[in-house]
Amino acid sequence: MVETNKTRLTEDQRTAFEAVKNLIAEGNGGILFLYAPGGTRKIFLINLILTEFRSERHIALVIVSSGIISTLLIGCHTDHSELQLPLNLVQTENPICSISKRSVKAAVLRTLPTYRLG
């Protein structure tokens, strides 16, 4: 399925896919951000990336701001649930995540470099 769907990638999508693949192959995985206008098939691309790398036993987390988008992505969570952010950041006096400094999640997040795609 992954190989079949790779043939459906646009040139820009293929560039992003290969960039992620190269980062992982070089041992430089981390936090990746994908910015693109609506209608550019981001969900298709992200699901393909997730399927590819999870099938190779890599850890792949997807965190989004919209609950609607989180239902369309494989194994995705909202930023509020995954990062334990307050639901109303604007009205929260001290908006911080409530991930314990000594938790496994915190340890994983501290070790990841950050990349931006697009």
Side-chain angles (χ1 to χ4, degrees):
M1 180 175 129
V2 172
E3 293 304 318
T4 302
N5 283 333
K6 282 184 191 178
T7 63
R8 297 173 54 201
L9 294 172
T10 66
E11 184 177 330
D12 289 339
Q13 289 171 327
R14 187 174 317 285
T15 299
F17 183 87
E18 292 300 324
V20 172
K21 189 172 182 174
N22 290 338
L23 286 171
I24 300 299
E26 296 166 359
N28 295 321
I31 299 172
L32 306 169
F33 295 91
L34 177 63
Y35 295 98
T40 56
R41 299 175 55 213
K42 293 180 293 292
I43 291 171
F44 172 75
L45 174 61
I46 293 169
N47 278 328
L48 184 62
I49 290 169
L50 293 172
T51 302
E52 169 92 0
F53 294 107
R54 288 177 177 160
S55 72
E56 296 174 0
R57 300 181 117 22
H58 293 287
I59 296 171
L61 303 174
V62 179
I63 302 171
V64 297
S65 59
S66 166
I68 294 171
I69 298 300
S70 71
T71 65
L72 301 174
L73 293 167
I74 300 166
C76 181
H77 301 279
T78 63
D79 49 6
H80 297 293
S81 65
E82 191 64 25
L83 300 175
Q84 299 175 2
L85 295 172
L87 286 175
N88 193 336
L89 291 172
V90 175
Q91 293 180 351
T92 303
E93 188 174 322
N94 189 15
I96 59 170
C97 71
S98 57
I99 298 172
S100 168
K101 290 180 182 181
R102 294 189 175 145
S103 70
V104 173
K105 187 179 287 190
V108 169
L109 292 173
R110 273 194 299 274
T111 63
L112 298 175
T114 302
Y115 302 95
R116 179 177 172 182
L117 302 176

